[in-house]
Amino acid sequence: TIGYKNENVKNGVGLEGAYVDLINGEPGKRLVQRMAGGLWMPVNNGDDEVEPKDGADIISTIDVNFQDIAQQVLKAQLDSVAADHGCVVLMEVATGEIRAIANFTRTKEGKYEEKLNYAIADAGDPGSTFKLATYMTLFDQHKIDTNSMINGDGGKYKIPKGPLISDVEDYNFMMTAKKAFEESSNVAAAKFVYNAYYNNPWQFTDKLYSFHLNEKLQLQIPGEAQPVVKNPKSRSWNINYSLPEMAYGYEMKITPLQMLALYNAVANDGKLIAPVLVKEIRRLGNTVEQFHARVINEKICSDATLGKMKALLEGVVKEGNAKTLFKNAAYTAAGKTGTAQIAMGKGGYGNKEGKSFYQTSFAGYFPAKNPKYSMIVVVNRPTKGSYLAAKVAAPVFKKIADRVFAADHGLHPAPVMHYVGNTNLPQIKKGNVKALKQVYTKLGVKPLYANNTGNGVDTSDGIAFEDVSYKAGVVPQVKGMGLSDALYVLGNAGYKVHARGSGMVASQSIAAGSITPKGSKITIELQ
């Protein structure tokens, strides 16, 4: 993502490749004359003919702490499942700013290095994360509702004149659309779409295009892959099975970041925005240009549909195939798993030995109510342990979300203060008010003046204290004061002071409030 630019790469890579001209600045030009001994001297008294222009600073949206978290967690999981490659993207919901983007590839030595920005360049079948678009289309066009029933057919469904569609579980019962989504039933999604759109597939594909899934996001860095979402005019469209295959995320090409943008739109109350990687350009510390998310679609679906989709996405975490993982989370989350077989070119979905490979993903946002972050995790070709997204990609999402939630104090409710023991604030003693004000100023504390109390008052605006007042011929109270304040108060009241000991004033020879002529001597004992 940060990238580079060199003579071997035509367009450059990442941010440095995209903004190389701004970063490098412009060289100056000066007329010089060669002198004896091979020295060069400037002509025209050394004045520059063309002043050099310093390079600009490109301020990215990446949070280095979140980036570190994303890289650590992703790398550990890739190594654990011996995956071929994987990526993570963390984005702010409202602004579209990318806070972290991590990509790793397994080398021949079994190590993981940054080789390719899979998040923006790797377009392929998304699998079940695409069911968000499928069900959103079905709901928005009133084809089904959350309580519409469908037969699970034992987890097997033979498309008329098409292939067999299978589920991981044998759902041999009737289930609601909500339950089917939460359990990620491929059979249910295919049957819902086939039944609703077989006679008019354009109605389905046109709605997908309204989500702009067939368009690039026009990112600020090069390398974004072109998404492919079929329609009945596509050369590879099959009248018998393209429609139900698309229902659960096959026969298309979509990058992880393009998929995340759709999930972010749901979290953003329907507003689809393009992700941002650069937020401003600075020269000599001054901002010369700022960037904000481009709005692609103000409202991708109705509010009623949004409400249903949010409930379904939360249901995956609360009741569906990710419920175990998020059971004890300190925050609420919403999302969807996706497990897709990887196409092996013309050979279909398997290698020469008939072995299948999978891409696992989890896309969602958190907290579920008033979400601040959206995230997608993709782990490609895990070869150790499970190949299911709920056990491979979802744990990465959870671990990163845990640490982001802990680090972002803005997500936490204000702490409730509980006082234990003595809740009376200490007495603020009368003394040198000028000195007190000076101390308050240095500490940045706003003083509040009180006329009838000597006790501190805990307020959001400052600390209250009593100003000093004097009455002619009346001895003031100095017990509990330090020597400096006691001398200040008694002296201003017109009395001569003799002090013995050190510490705080424990007693005074003439009681406070006594009528005593000015000039009288008062002895104070300090302990």
Side-chain angles (χ1 to χ4, degrees):
T1 302
I2 300 302
Y4 53 87
K5 171 69 175 176
N6 58 44
E7 59 185 14
N8 298 321
V9 181
K10 182 178 180 181
N11 297 320
V13 175
L15 296 176
E16 187 165 338
Y19 293 91
V20 63
D21 292 338
L22 283 170
I23 294 171
N24 288 349
E26 299 175 9
K29 293 182 180 180
R30 171 185 289 171
L31 184 63
V32 295
Q33 179 180 2
R34 186 171 184 176
M35 310 296 289
L39 299 177
W40 293 89
M41 295 291 292
V43 181
N44 300 326
N45 298 321
D47 292 336
D48 292 341
E49 294 184 359
V50 177
E51 290 283 351
K53 192 174 184 180
D54 288 339
D57 295 324
I58 307 303
I59 311 303
S60 82
T61 60
I62 301 295
D63 182 301
V64 291
N65 294 318
F66 292 168
Q67 179 70 23
D68 189 43
I69 291 168
Q71 291 186 182
Q72 286 181 15
V73 176
L74 176 63
K75 201 172 190 179
Q77 183 69 335
L78 292 176
D79 189 57
S80 174
V81 299
D84 182 75
H85 61 267
C87 67
V88 168
V89 184
L90 177 72
M91 181 163 67
E92 262 196 17
V93 170
T95 65
E97 294 184 353
I98 302 296
R99 292 304 183 202
I101 178 168
N103 298 272
F104 287 112
T105 304
R106 186 181 177 90
T107 65
K108 293 180 180 179
E109 296 76 24
K111 297 181 179 180
Y112 288 94
E113 298 178 358
E114 289 185 273
K115 297 286 188 180
L116 180 69
N117 200 332
Y118 294 103
I120 71 167
D122 192 20
D125 295 326
S128 291
T129 52
F130 189 80
K131 289 173 185 171
L132 171 69
T134 296
Y135 279 79
M136 194 153 50
T137 298
L138 289 163
F139 291 149
D140 217 42
Q141 295 182 340
H142 308 289
K143 301 296 184 181
I144 64 170
D145 207 336
T146 55
N147 58 0
S148 297
M149 303 299 294
I150 198 78
N151 194 326
D153 281 336
K156 306 291 181 183
Y157 173 56
K158 179 69 169 63
I159 301 174
K161 299 181 182 180
L164 178 70
I165 295 176
S166 301
D167 283 330
V168 174
E169 302 289 340
D170 297 334
Y171 300 116
N172 195 19
F173 52 83
M174 297 292 291
M175 66 178 87
T176 63
K178 182 176 184 297
K179 178 69 173 177
F181 185 89
E182 292 171 353
E183 297 297 336
S184 198
S185 169
N186 297 333
V187 169
K191 291 176 72 174
F192 275 135
V193 169
Y194 189 83
N195 295 340
Y197 299 105
Y198 178 75
N199 293 322
N200 187 7
W202 280 102
Q203 191 177 12
F204 181 69
T205 58
D206 283 349
K207 186 63 175 179
L208 297 182
Y209 288 175
S210 77
F211 302 150
H212 299 266
L213 290 170
N214 60 318
E215 302 172 12
K216 287 186 178 182
L217 294 168
Q218 300 177 30
L219 302 174
Q220 295 164 305
I221 60 177
E224 183 183 10
Q226 175 64 51
V228 176
V229 178
K230 292 182 180 181
N231 64 52
K233 282 190 176 181
S234 301
R235 291 180 60 184
S236 58
W237 180 270
N238 186 294
I239 193 172
N240 296 311
Y241 59 78
S242 285
L243 195 62
E245 287 277 296
M246 290 175 64
Y248 62 105
Y250 283 86
E251 296 206 21
M252 62 184 67
K253 291 182 178 181
I254 297 176
T255 68
L257 189 53
Q258 289 159 357
M259 196 75 256
L260 177 60
L262 184 65
Y263 277 78
N264 193 80
V266 174
N268 202 24
D269 292 328
K271 182 185 287 188
L272 179 65
I273 56 179
V276 178
L277 283 158
V278 175
K279 57 184 176 182
E280 62 180 282
I281 297 173
R282 295 178 189 169
R283 287 190 183 275
L284 302 176
N286 299 312
T287 300
V288 296
E289 188 172 3
Q290 288 184 319
F291 301 96
H292 302 284
R294 176 176 56 88
V295 178
I296 301 172
N297 190 336
E298 281 286 353
K299 203 75 170 178
I300 59 173
C301 64
S302 68
D303 287 332
T305 297
L306 275 175
K308 293 171 185 176
M309 292 315 307
K310 289 179 179 180
L312 264 60
L313 291 169
E314 288 183 54
V316 171
V317 173
K318 291 180 179 179
E319 306 293 338
N321 55 10
K323 65 180 179 182
T324 303
L325 188 64
F326 288 88
K327 185 176 182 181
N328 298 316
Y331 55 91
T332 56
K336 181 73 186 72
T337 56
T339 305
Q341 277 188 280
I342 299 172
M344 308 295 288
K346 294 181 179 180
Y349 291 91
N351 61 11
K352 294 180 180 179
E353 292 77 31
K355 183 178 180 180
S356 295
F357 295 99
Y358 295 87
Q359 173 180 285
T360 72
S361 55
F362 190 94
Y365 51 85
F366 64 97
K369 307 300 182 186
N370 301 316
K372 183 172 182 180
Y373 299 101
S374 60
M375 181 172 23
I376 189 166
V377 177
V378 178
V379 177
N380 196 286
R381 298 192 191 186
T383 58
K384 287 170 58 178
S386 176
Y387 65 87
L388 298 177
K391 296 183 179 180
V392 179
V396 178
F397 183 103
K398 171 66 163 49
K399 289 176 183 177
I400 295 174
D402 283 350
R403 294 175 64 178
V404 169
F405 178 80
D408 189 339
H409 299 295
L411 295 177
H412 305 165
V416 178
M417 302 300 292
H418 297 282
Y419 293 96
V420 179
N422 181 14
T423 59
N424 293 322
L425 292 173
Q427 184 182 29
I428 294 179
K429 306 170 182 65
K430 300 176 182 180
N432 188 338
V433 178
K434 183 178 179 181
L436 186 61
K437 289 180 180 179
Q438 187 176 3
V439 171
Y440 279 170
T441 301
K442 291 292 184 184
L443 294 176
V445 177
K446 179 182 177 182
L448 301 177
Y449 299 97
N451 294 320
N452 56 6
T453 178
N455 290 329
V457 179
D458 186 12
T459 74
S460 60
D461 297 318
I463 298 178
F465 66 91
E466 182 182 359
D467 203 349
V468 180
S469 59
Y470 305 105
K471 189 175 181 180
V474 178
V475 177
Q477 174 66 271
V478 294
K479 285 184 180 180
M481 290 186 181
L483 178 60
S484 178
D485 280 337
L487 292 175
Y488 177 86
V489 170
L490 291 172
N492 281 334
Y495 298 106
K496 296 178 180 180
V497 183
H498 177 66
R500 291 199 292 258
S502 61
M504 310 297 289
V505 177
S507 63
Q508 56 190 85
S509 59
I510 301 177
S514 301
I515 307 298
T516 305
K518 287 186 176 182
S520 300
K521 180 180 178 180
I522 297 179
T523 300
I524 56 175
E525 299 282 349
L526 290 87
Q527 294 181 358

